[in-house]
Amino acid sequence: MASEEKPLVVVTCTAPVNIAVIKYWGKRDEDLVLPINSSLSVTLHQDQLKTTTTAAISKDFTEDRIWLNGREEDVGQPRLQACLRESEWDPAGDVCDTGPSPSFPSAPSSVCRV
């Protein structure tokens, strides 16, 4: 009897660090999308400093889990739940355009951010 293959999808990405020197405080004109104040920020080169995030999804996972800086965190936080909902796997979409996407309707995920 052939064993059923359960795929694991792992994606890692990096993003540069952006430091806001003068922060954006909102809009003075909603229609024209004009800010209340000017803002200034500096984006560091990824050779200097970056954040790395790895996400994995599998039907074998029984629950959502997340690690920040090597320590597992509570996934029950409302802001984290909102983030996980926004990043749910879309089985109909082909995220990387590399071929057919695996079918993962509402499969739990594991995320590691260092």
Side-chain angles (χ1 to χ4, degrees):
M1 174 157 49
S3 66
E4 182 180 324
E5 186 176 325
K6 294 187 180 179
L8 170 69
V9 176
V10 179
V11 177
T12 298
C13 60
T14 63
V17 171
N18 180 275
I19 301 168
V21 180
I22 301 173
K23 294 188 113 181
Y24 169 78
W25 286 95
K27 297 177 188 152
R28 65 182 154 129
D29 187 315
E30 290 286 333
D31 295 330
L32 297 175
V33 193
L34 296 174
I36 290 174
N37 62 295
S38 297
S39 61
L40 176 66
S41 66
V42 176
T43 300
L44 302 178
H45 192 282
Q46 289 199 42
D47 287 345
Q48 298 163 330
L49 192 59
K50 66 183 173 191
T51 182
T52 302
T53 302
T54 300
I57 187 168
S58 173
K59 287 184 178 182
D60 288 337
F61 295 164
T62 58
E63 61 186 351
D64 289 328
R65 297 172 72 188
I66 189 166
W67 290 262
L68 296 174
N69 300 321
R71 192 177 86 211
E72 189 165 7
E73 298 289 339
D74 177 17
V75 294
Q77 301 286 337
R79 288 181 69 185
L80 180 54
Q81 282 297 312
C83 180
L84 288 172
R85 276 192 307 277
E86 288 295 320
S87 62
E88 285 179 354
W89 182 264
D90 177 10
D94 190 6
V95 178
C96 297
D97 197 24
T98 57
S101 297
S103 178
F104 286 119
S106 68
S109 60
S110 291
V111 178
C112 177
R113 185 168 185 171
V114 292

